[in-house]
Amino acid sequence: MLTVQDFTGYQPTWCPGCGNWAIGAAIKTALVQLGLSPSNVFLSFGIGCSGNMNDFVNAYASHGLHGRALPVAIGFKLANHHMKTIVVAGDGDFYGEGGNHFLHAARGNHDICAIIHDNRVYGLTTGQVAPTAQKGYRSKSTPAGIIEVPLDPLGLAVAQGATFVAQAFAGDTMHLVGLLKDALQHKGFSLVNVLQPCVTFNKINTFSYYIQRSYKLPAEYDATNIQEAQKKTLELHEEKFPLGIIYKKDKPAYHEQISQIAETSLLKRKVPRNFTELLTDFV
Amino acid sequence: MEQFLWKIGGEAGFGILTTGTMFSKIVSRLGYYIFDYIQYPSLIRGGHNTYDVGFSDAPVHDLKANIDMLVCLNKETFDNHKERLRSDSFVIYDSKEFIPDGPYINIEVPFNEILTKLKGQVIMKNTIALGASLALLGADLAILNDLLKSQFKKKGEDVVRFNQQFAQAGYDHILKQHKAHIKSILLRRDNPKQLVITGNETFALASSIADCCLYVAYPMTPASSVLSVLANWQMQTGMVVRHAEDEIAVINTAIGGSLAGVRSAVGTSGGGFALMVESISFAGIAEIPLVIFLSQRPGPATGMPTWTEQGDLLFAVHAGHGEFPKIVLAPGSIDEMFKLTLKAYDLADIYQTPVIVLSDMLLSESHRSLSKDLVETQIKEYKPNRGKLIEKPDKEPYLRYKMTEDGVSARLIPGFEGSYYQSNSYEHLEDGHTTEESIERINQVDKRSQKIQTYFESHFVGPTIIGDIEKAEVIFVTWGSTKGATLRAQQELDKKGKNTAQLHFTHVFPLSEKIVAPYLTKKKRYILVENNSHGQFGKLLRQEIGVSIMEKVLRYDGRPITSEEIVQSVFT
């Protein structure tokens, strides 16, 4: 039986009190509880404080480019769909620089679990505004306050066809572990947006801010009802943060709809050597 | 025989491309070598399209300037190209539309009257034109009828016969009205079987044979047909072909596939390639094999999308921030496209780094003859060389970026139970973890750079010499697709008593000074031939080898450089 220790790499360099610690611990716990090992998961990391988890978690992994963790994961999954594939990135990385990939991965229902650290600032570059920041938020890049309204990750995911959309709070690790396990077991594109205070650069969206404004979705909430889900996503604009599975739907994943990899993965396929038929196009 | 040049022109959107390809296939099946070239505006309808087919009993490297038979489906075709006609050129036209004003062999074909009589659509003018052309050249309709049958058989026997009668009408008209003008030069001859294939199709075919498993692209002229051809073949090849949302997704998806252990490739033109550049650097430091097909068109920015240029050489060579090894191959003919594509996949695996196959519109979209036997032999015999790819570690702990003499470390396919590692875009230790330590940085930079030396020793190939370099008065220096026009220029110059040689480069970057310099430092007259305005390969030679070539033949109006221009350069 594996333990969290098997997944534990280097000592993290995150700031004391940062929400990343809880998210990192929750990811490792969820993987252990699902019986996975560092050899049968693939983690694709973005660039940022969250991406730095690459050195702190043991697994097959890619620490790629800012904004591009998702397409790397898509390619990996197409080549070897037997590996559990996970994206770990931050809000600026995933919703800003890589926003286009997010929209299209959701509509493709790629079997990838995206765990997004949403702290509403750029931590690693010392505190500029992120696309999820509240309108008016003052930062190094927006001294007069950001003009845009916040990007709505959950609403976008639901609208674009993601089949598992959830929100968690880094201050409640046990709840986060449960949601991550559900997301990792879901077949198709899952988004877990984790609200995470940045203790160094964000003095507004603090632990107490989220404790006051977040709430767990009640047991009677029907996550399969897309209209209800869309209503929930709009609460962002009232600074209310529902926690739990916002939306869930069973649909075939992208790789399941490619007939040439129905039986074996691309990696394990038998090499075809009869291309003579192709030549008929050229005579 | 001298090259014979057949050319058809008409309004865009009315089947010129299909007709030109059919003509190429017919003459190829009759035992001749072909080279064709299409000119079309970046429009779907309303512009002017032309299609040239040059054929001969010897391989055709380049199209000649004079037109031997001009098929005018509209007056514009005649007006635009009459300066390339001579008194013995055929001009096929319909007197309902215009009458050629010149001393040519004017062949009236009543396209409109035939269409009305047989209740045909405008597009069937092409079939009439093919029938008439074949009659004038002394061929029969057997192959054309066969091609029409394959094209329309899904729609039923009646549709096949309906189309075939237009070919017959064009053919019969010539026999009845212009019998005296028939020039029987297209007689069936014995020739080893040739494929009629474009550069893009050749890249696609060779990629399939090389066991490329994942091809990712976003459509961009003139590379788009690689995507459509490979997508169409997925059931036969088992390849997964993905049209992603943008070129950044394209290259990162291919990187993901390659990381997982399968051969992966992308294809694009200059603009899309520009979007991929950051990720090329990622593949460089993370040591991920990748084949990038870059088909050039005239830039900057959107430029002239459907025309040709060799304007992205230096961009390809320097693509990616930071310092890392990268191999750039530039085929100059269809055979070279086939062989170098196979080699590109091996080199990417052997050196675990990006390999760029550089094409251009001329090479990508022109059909040429490719020996069927060569292809079939490779289908049977080609075995991928995956380099140091391993399925399990040879010893523990496994170190992804282990220091080695040749600069290449064993690459473990992810998923092996008991191991794990990360591919890292940050500078890293041998085990893949991030580092900022001075010594570790130097070690890893040196390790990656060592691959260039290993490549020079093991796989770099210097220029191909065409002609006798010692006897030559003039040495042409070419790379990529200018090879063909230069070859034809050499043949013409030979007739004029000028002895020439050509140094043709396919392995354009990196360049081994030791291997290349001896060819370029003889006391000879060197002329650089490039389809761009800056003489980019000349600059690269100066940078890498330290030689300057002062004489240049450059063309940058979007048209391929011609042998006539090259011949002229020798006498000026």
Side-chain angles (χ1 to χ4, degrees):
Chain A
M1 178 69 188
L2 292 176
T3 66
V4 167
Q5 205 49 42
D6 292 295
F7 279 99
T8 301
Y10 286 15
Q11 176 67 14
T13 49
W14 294 314
C15 306
C18 171
N20 277 340
W21 292 86
I23 303 172
I27 290 173
K28 290 188 281 189
T29 306
L31 293 173
V32 168
Q33 290 185 5
L34 290 175
L36 293 160
S37 84
S39 301
N40 54 31
V41 295
F42 174 69
L43 285 152
S44 183
F45 293 98
I47 298 295
C49 293
S50 58
N52 282 350
M53 197 186 290
N54 73 308
D55 286 325
F56 318 145
V57 175
N58 293 336
Y60 285 110
S62 161
H63 197 191
L65 297 172
H66 188 63
R68 316 303 166 200
L70 192 44
V72 169
I74 288 172
F76 192 97
K77 189 80 191 178
L78 285 175
N80 183 359
H81 57 262
H82 301 304
M83 294 270 276
K84 186 65 80 184
T85 302
I86 302 164
V87 166
V88 174
D91 46 17
D93 181 299
F94 199 79
Y95 303 135
E97 189 91 17
N100 200 26
H101 310 313
F102 164 46
L103 296 185
H104 293 278
R107 60 181 261 270
N109 200 30
H110 295 272
D111 187 20
I112 290 165
C113 174
I115 303 166
I116 306 309
H117 300 223
D118 180 0
N119 62 6
R120 313 179 103 178
V121 290
Y122 284 67
L124 202 59
T125 51
T126 67
Q128 299 84 352
V129 73
T132 44
Q134 209 69 37
K135 182 172 171 61
Y137 182 83
R138 290 171 193 272
S139 76
K140 282 184 179 173
S141 56
T142 55
I146 182 171
I147 294 168
E148 293 99 323
V149 297
L151 179 141
D152 171 8
L154 306 175
L156 280 172
V158 172
Q160 283 299 115
T163 50
F164 185 104
V165 181
Q167 184 155 263
F169 172 44
D172 186 347
T173 317
M174 288 317 290
H175 183 244
L176 173 58
V177 169
L179 276 183
L180 288 178
K181 282 167 65 181
D182 287 344
L184 286 164
Q185 285 175 296
H186 175 77
K187 189 190 67 192
F189 186 74
S190 56
L191 175 76
V192 182
N193 190 62
V194 189
L195 304 167
Q196 172 217 2
C198 172
V199 292
T200 305
F201 294 109
N202 189 334
K203 304 299 182 194
I204 293 177
N205 307 113
T206 58
F207 277 98
S208 62
Y209 171 92
Y210 285 118
I211 288 166
Q212 284 166 27
R213 288 173 175 80
S214 69
Y215 68 97
K216 286 196 181 115
L217 287 166
E220 64 272 19
Y221 175 76
D222 179 8
T224 62
N225 183 328
I226 194 163
Q227 279 84 16
E228 287 303 309
Q230 282 174 324
K231 271 188 215 156
K232 283 289 160 202
T233 66
L234 293 172
E235 291 180 4
L236 166 72
H237 301 291
E238 303 157 29
E239 293 190 63
K240 276 168 72 185
F241 301 94
L243 304 177
I245 301 170
I246 308 286
Y247 181 63
K248 188 177 182 337
K249 187 176 171 64
D250 283 331
K251 255 171 50 178
Y254 188 93
H255 71 270
E256 293 177 315
Q257 299 172 68
I258 303 174
S259 60
Q260 56 270 45
I261 51 173
E263 282 172 23
T264 51
S265 67
L266 268 183
L267 182 65
K268 299 282 179 201
R269 74 171 191 162
K270 287 210 171 54
V271 182
R273 296 257 40 108
N274 183 17
F275 299 122
T276 320
E277 197 189 323
L278 303 180
L279 305 185
T280 55
D281 288 350
F282 305 117
V283 288
Chain B
M1 69 182 272
E2 281 283 310
Q3 181 189 140
F4 188 94
L5 187 69
W6 176 89
K7 184 179 182 97
I8 187 167
E11 196 183 332
F14 285 94
I16 299 293
L17 177 63
T18 316
T19 309
T21 310
M22 270 195 178
F23 189 81
S24 287
K25 285 183 178 175
I26 293 166
V27 292
S28 174
R29 283 208 210 171
L30 286 169
Y32 296 83
Y33 294 91
I34 61 103
F35 182 119
D36 69 23
Y37 178 64
I38 183 168
Q39 282 191 356
Y40 61 106
S42 188
L43 296 166
I44 301 302
R45 288 284 286 268
H48 182 64
N49 282 6
T50 68
Y51 200 113
D52 294 50
V53 181
F55 62 90
S56 174
D57 55 6
V60 185
H61 307 295
D62 176 45
L63 293 174
K64 65 179 206 178
N66 294 323
I67 299 168
D68 296 303
M69 185 179 287
L70 182 64
V71 183
C72 308
L73 297 186
N74 58 11
K75 182 165 184 293
E76 207 179 346
T77 305
F78 178 75
D79 293 340
N80 285 350
H81 307 289
K82 61 183 173 192
E83 76 282 2
R84 288 173 59 192
L85 295 168
R86 294 179 313 186
S87 59
D88 61 347
S89 304
F90 293 98
V91 178
I92 297 178
Y93 69 100
D94 185 345
S95 61
K96 288 258 164 53
E97 296 189 7
F98 74 100
I99 294 167
D101 51 348
Y104 319 114
I105 307 174
N106 293 334
I107 306 289
E108 212 268 328
V109 176
F111 290 108
N112 290 297
E113 201 184 302
I114 296 171
L115 284 187
T116 312
K117 201 174 128 199
L118 300 177
K119 297 189 172 62
Q121 294 152 9
V122 180
I123 201 161
M124 289 154 190
K125 273 188 184 182
N126 292 283
T127 320
I128 303 170
L130 284 172
S133 300
L134 292 171
L136 277 171
L137 294 170
D140 61 33
L141 291 182
I143 299 171
L144 175 57
N145 280 333
D146 195 39
L147 288 170
L148 288 169
K149 194 174 172 181
S150 327
Q151 191 184 346
F152 294 109
K153 68 180 171 209
K154 276 189 195 146
K155 294 182 179 169
E157 198 52 43
D158 289 347
V159 180
V160 171
R161 270 198 298 273
F162 182 71
N163 278 278
Q164 285 173 343
Q165 66 176 339
F166 291 91
Q168 193 67 48
Y171 191 86
D172 291 347
H173 176 79
I174 299 298
L175 258 57
K176 219 157 99 190
Q177 303 293 332
H178 304 284
K179 199 162 186 183
H181 289 122
I182 291 174
K183 214 185 219 175
S184 294
I185 56 168
L186 206 47
L187 303 176
R188 197 177 286 271
R189 62 186 290 277
D190 265 341
N191 201 33
K193 282 211 171 105
Q194 305 291 318
L195 303 177
V196 173
I197 193 166
T198 66
N200 283 354
E201 289 163 344
T202 305
F203 177 81
L205 182 61
S207 296
S208 306
I209 295 170
D211 193 31
C212 171
C213 291
L214 179 64
Y215 182 76
V216 198
Y218 185 93
M220 187 168 187
T221 308
S224 309
S225 64
V226 177
L227 172 62
S228 48
V229 166
L230 288 174
N232 199 31
W233 287 348
Q234 285 177 99
M235 289 308 113
Q236 287 104 318
T237 59
M239 190 186 291
V240 169
V241 178
R242 176 161 160 77
H243 168 176
E245 64 271 20
D246 59 40
E247 283 88 349
I248 303 176
V250 163
I251 188 165
N252 282 284
T253 302
I255 285 173
S258 184
L259 184 52
V262 305
R263 284 190 159 177
S264 305
V266 303
T268 187
S269 188
F273 182 75
L275 292 178
M276 296 181 179
V277 164
E278 185 192 19
S279 308
I280 294 174
S281 177
F282 170 34
I285 191 169
E287 304 198 37
I288 297 168
L290 190 63
V291 172
I292 301 162
F293 181 69
L294 168 55
S295 182
Q296 304 162 96
R297 71 191 209 190
T302 313
M304 305 205 321
T306 60
W307 299 80
T308 199
E309 190 166 281
Q310 294 180 307
D312 297 336
L313 172 68
L314 290 179
F315 180 40
V317 159
H318 297 299
H321 54 296
E323 300 168 322
F324 59 93
K326 179 198 315 137
I327 296 168
V328 184
L329 305 175
S333 66
I334 218 78
D335 297 49
E336 286 173 0
M337 178 66 84
F338 185 70
K339 291 171 190 163
L340 288 174
T341 300
L342 293 174
K343 185 172 179 179
Y345 284 96
D346 284 350
L347 292 179
D349 266 334
I350 292 167
Y351 294 102
Q352 301 175 7
T353 207
V355 177
I356 297 171
V357 177
L358 203 51
S359 181
D360 53 29
M361 182 271 174
L362 174 65
L363 184 56
S364 277
E365 297 201 334
S366 289
H367 292 91
R368 308 202 197 181
S369 302
L370 175 65
S371 159
K372 192 161 182 254
D373 188 51
L374 169 76
V375 173
E376 282 173 342
T377 306
Q378 287 300 327
I379 288 175
K380 277 193 215 97
E381 292 175 4
Y382 177 82
K383 295 243 177 340
N385 180 343
R386 303 294 315 261
K388 294 189 186 175
L389 185 71
I390 53 172
E391 285 177 358
K392 57 179 181 188
D394 42 5
K395 66 172 172 214
E396 297 290 345
Y398 167 71
L399 298 173
R400 171 65 189 95
Y401 301 108
K402 188 175 166 54
M403 298 297 295
T404 58
E405 267 184 36
D406 60 6
V408 185
S409 324
R411 184 165 75 95
L412 175 64
I413 296 176
F416 177 75
E417 197 57 48
S419 270
Y420 55 82
Y421 67 88
Q422 60 169 311
S423 260
N424 202 341
S425 82
Y426 278 83
E427 192 55 274
H428 38 255
L429 305 168
E430 284 184 299
D431 70 2
H433 282 97
T434 309
T435 186
E436 294 176 355
E437 291 300 319
S438 166
I439 185 72
E440 300 291 350
R441 162 68 176 176
I442 292 167
N443 282 345
Q444 290 294 320
V445 170
D446 289 348
K447 169 179 133 58
R448 291 188 293 268
S449 300
Q450 179 56 38
K451 294 183 193 176
I452 300 170
Q453 291 313 313
T454 310
Y455 168 71
F456 284 155
E457 286 153 24
S458 312
H459 292 98
F460 176 77
V461 177
T464 309
I465 305 161
I466 303 161
D468 187 331
I469 196 168
E470 298 306 329
K471 288 187 188 148
E473 294 170 57
V474 175
I475 300 173
F476 296 110
V477 177
T478 70
W479 66 278
S481 69
T482 50
K483 177 190 186 183
T486 308
L487 263 171
R488 219 173 82 80
Q490 287 183 271
Q491 290 165 358
E492 295 302 312
L493 285 162
D494 195 48
K495 289 180 200 160
K496 294 178 196 289
K498 280 268 177 199
N499 201 330
T500 66
Q502 178 180 179
L503 293 175
H504 172 63
F505 287 81
T506 52
H507 293 56
V508 293
F509 188 80
L511 286 165
S512 158
E513 187 180 349
K514 197 172 101 188
I515 295 172
V516 171
Y519 297 105
L520 292 166
T521 47
K522 299 187 184 296
K523 296 218 173 335
K524 294 276 183 181
R525 182 180 173 199
Y526 289 93
I527 301 178
L528 182 71
V529 184
E530 296 196 58
N531 237 148
N532 58 43
S533 74
H534 285 194
Q536 295 191 15
F537 190 62
K539 288 187 177 187
L540 189 62
L541 286 174
R542 201 176 321 151
Q543 173 184 308
E544 300 291 311
I545 315 296
V547 296
S548 293
I549 299 173
M550 304 316 288
E551 285 191 66
K552 300 179 179 80
V553 187
L554 305 174
R555 182 162 186 166
Y556 47 92
D557 61 352
R559 279 74 179 165
I561 210 154
T562 64
S563 52
E564 287 78 9
E565 290 164 88
I566 299 166
V567 169
Q568 212 174 16
S569 73
V570 171
F571 300 107
T572 49

